[in-house]
Amino acid sequence: TVDLKYDDVSYATVHQSAFLRCGMMPVQPIKELWWFKIGASEERVYYYDPTSVDAALMKRARRSNRDNTSLEIYPTQLSDEGEYKCRIVVWDNTGNSTEPSVPISKEARMMLKVNVPPEKVEITHLTSGRNLSLRCKSEGAKPPADILWTKTSPDGVETEIPDLAKTREIEPAGELYDTAEQIFYQLEENEMIAKISCVVRHHNTNTTIYKNITFVSPAIQNALKVTIQRFAEPVLYSSIENQDGRDNKAGLVKISADPGFKVPYNTSVTLKAAAPGVFPEPRYLWWVGDQTGIAGRELHIDNLEEDKSYYVLAENPLGRVVLEVPVHITTSDYSQWNDSSRDGDVIVDDTTGGLDTGAIIGIV
């Protein structure tokens, strides 16, 4: 009797070698060896007949030299993932050398899982004084990568940052996954230099990627470029992005109106504020004239009878900005004003005199 030795699941990393075990116990003379990939139909991958044929029907496949019947695929592609079947036909005369040998066929099925390491890591940041909002994104991994944050002291000791306020998002990107994590962190008052690292770990492929950013007090280095334009409070820290030197601006505060910013007389309007990509998420406060402020992302206006300017404050620990949102009365034919291609999502000019529109910038 011949038994097959195989693994139910095998793992491989893309662009490296995949090994699918299918060995015999005890070893017997081979009549035929078949390998198939199971899909909608059985796709032939390899065929071996010791007397005449040793053929790879998939160019990247070969018989393993470990046991002569297992399969190796190199370089592995993501499309190689799936179920495989090996079929071995051996000659067996049940131990009786006087009897003619008879072919015995054995089959085994197994899964191949292909892992993909992260292909790109980006870190972006917003700063205000010692308040930091950092976002690290790992792209194109399978399964999703893990992210942790560390801080390196001036003498080179690296420690994980504990008790972080953070959010994590995992989004599918085809067959791969993007992982993004945002944190809010406050530098200590006595820190002159702070090196913070986003550490992306992908255990399935033994991959670790560091993306660093260093914050430097102007007390020891004044020449560094400031990340965000500010007014009022002095800037305490500048930043260097170690890998590529690029600084990133804050996300924009966007204002939209339903049904639009120009509407007929006696129309109700809903104004909405959003700050995509900003962490921590801002809080919003709306007001008009001397009225008491209304908190929340949305402001509902009933039966607008005249042109009015509404104001919204967007604020988080990194700063605040005030936007003026004018809403106008038009004639009954207002279709020319509300372009459906804009879908009502526009960016309103702010009142800070030339600063980036809607940017969450320094403390007022």
Side-chain angles (χ1 to χ4, degrees):
T1 302
V2 177
D3 292 321
L4 298 185
K5 297 170 59 179
Y6 63 95
D7 301 312
D8 291 328
V9 181
S10 297
Y11 296 90
T13 299
V14 70
H15 305 314
Q16 298 183 15
S17 180
F19 176 72
L20 294 169
R21 183 170 71 142
C22 187
M24 292 183 293
M25 190 174 182
V27 176
Q28 299 279 14
I30 297 175
K31 180 180 183 294
E32 287 181 324
L33 169 67
W34 289 93
W35 275 96
F36 303 90
K37 185 179 181 186
I38 310 301
S41 60
E42 292 187 352
E43 175 189 350
R44 297 178 182 181
V45 175
Y46 204 97
Y47 176 68
Y48 174 57
D49 178 346
T51 63
S52 59
V53 181
D54 192 1
L57 305 177
M58 184 176 76
K59 292 182 179 180
R60 294 173 291 106
R62 64 171 181 249
R63 279 187 303 126
S64 173
N65 55 17
R66 300 188 197 184
D67 55 20
N68 210 37
T69 53
S70 296
L71 185 72
E72 289 187 6
I73 301 173
Y74 178 83
T76 305
Q77 299 177 0
L78 186 57
S79 59
D80 295 329
E81 182 169 282
E83 184 180 15
Y84 288 78
K85 179 176 74 174
C86 82
R87 179 190 298 155
I88 300 178
V89 181
V90 299
W91 293 110
D92 184 30
N93 60 7
T94 64
N96 188 345
S97 59
T98 62
E99 295 292 332
S101 295
V102 294
I104 297 178
S105 178
K106 292 285 186 176
E107 292 186 354
R109 293 189 176 218
M110 62 216 70
M111 291 293 299
L112 174 63
K113 299 286 189 180
V114 179
N115 298 317
V116 181
E119 63 179 4
K120 184 178 181 181
V121 175
E122 289 186 341
I123 188 169
T124 56
H125 62 282
L126 306 176
T127 62
S128 178
R130 295 185 178 88
N131 294 331
L132 311 178
S133 178
L134 304 174
R135 184 176 190 267
C136 184
K137 184 178 182 181
S138 161
E139 297 182 1
K142 177 179 174 293
D146 293 323
I147 294 177
L148 62 89
W149 297 85
T150 65
K151 185 171 70 171
T152 304
S153 65
D155 54 359
V157 178
E158 183 182 20
T159 56
E160 185 174 352
I161 302 176
D163 304 325
L164 283 173
K166 60 184 178 181
T167 62
R168 175 174 292 188
E169 300 174 355
I170 298 177
E171 297 182 354
E175 298 181 83
L176 307 178
Y177 296 90
D178 295 341
T179 303
E181 187 167 284
Q182 293 178 286
I183 66 168
F184 175 68
Y185 180 70
Q186 290 181 306
L187 296 170
E188 298 176 9
E189 291 188 9
N190 60 352
E191 285 184 294
M192 303 297 286
I193 299 179
K195 176 184 174 183
I196 297 180
S197 301
C198 163
V199 185
V200 176
R201 289 181 176 172
H202 198 248
H203 301 284
N204 300 72
T205 59
N206 296 319
T207 301
T208 301
I209 302 175
Y210 280 77
K211 189 77 170 179
N212 307 321
I213 186 166
T214 302
F215 295 89
V216 182
S217 169
I220 60 174
Q221 186 170 347
N222 289 306
L224 298 177
K225 182 180 178 181
V226 176
T227 306
I228 308 169
Q229 188 178 14
R230 295 182 181 83
F231 53 98
E233 292 283 333
V235 176
L236 298 181
Y237 281 77
S238 297
S239 62
I240 308 172
E241 198 167 323
N242 295 357
Q243 266 70 10
D244 49 26
R246 292 179 301 176
D247 283 318
N248 294 276
K249 292 185 177 180
L252 296 176
V253 177
K254 295 184 178 181
I255 308 296
S256 62
D258 183 16
F261 293 99
K262 296 185 179 182
V263 296
Y265 177 82
N266 210 32
T267 299
S268 296
V269 179
T270 299
L271 301 178
K272 298 179 181 179
V278 174
F279 182 82
E281 183 177 357
R283 60 178 182 175
Y284 303 97
L285 183 68
W286 297 85
W287 72 92
V288 58
D290 297 328
Q291 294 182 8
T292 303
I294 299 175
R297 289 186 176 183
E298 298 184 4
L299 174 68
H300 184 70
I301 307 165
D302 290 322
N303 309 116
L304 186 68
E305 297 180 350
E306 60 182 348
D307 293 353
K308 279 190 179 180
S309 286
Y310 297 83
Y311 296 88
V312 58
L313 165 69
E315 181 180 36
N316 72 4
L318 300 173
R320 58 175 65 175
V321 66
V322 176
L323 304 183
E324 180 184 11
V325 185
V327 183
H328 299 285
I329 300 295
T330 70
T331 61
S332 58
D333 180 12
Y334 66 97
S335 58
Q336 59 179 319
W337 299 107
N338 288 292
D339 185 353
S340 60
S341 65
R342 297 193 323 193
D343 200 25
D345 186 11
V346 300
I347 301 173
V348 178
D349 293 338
D350 79 29
T351 60
T352 53
L355 296 177
D356 289 338
T357 301
I360 291 196
I361 50 185
I363 304 300
V364 177

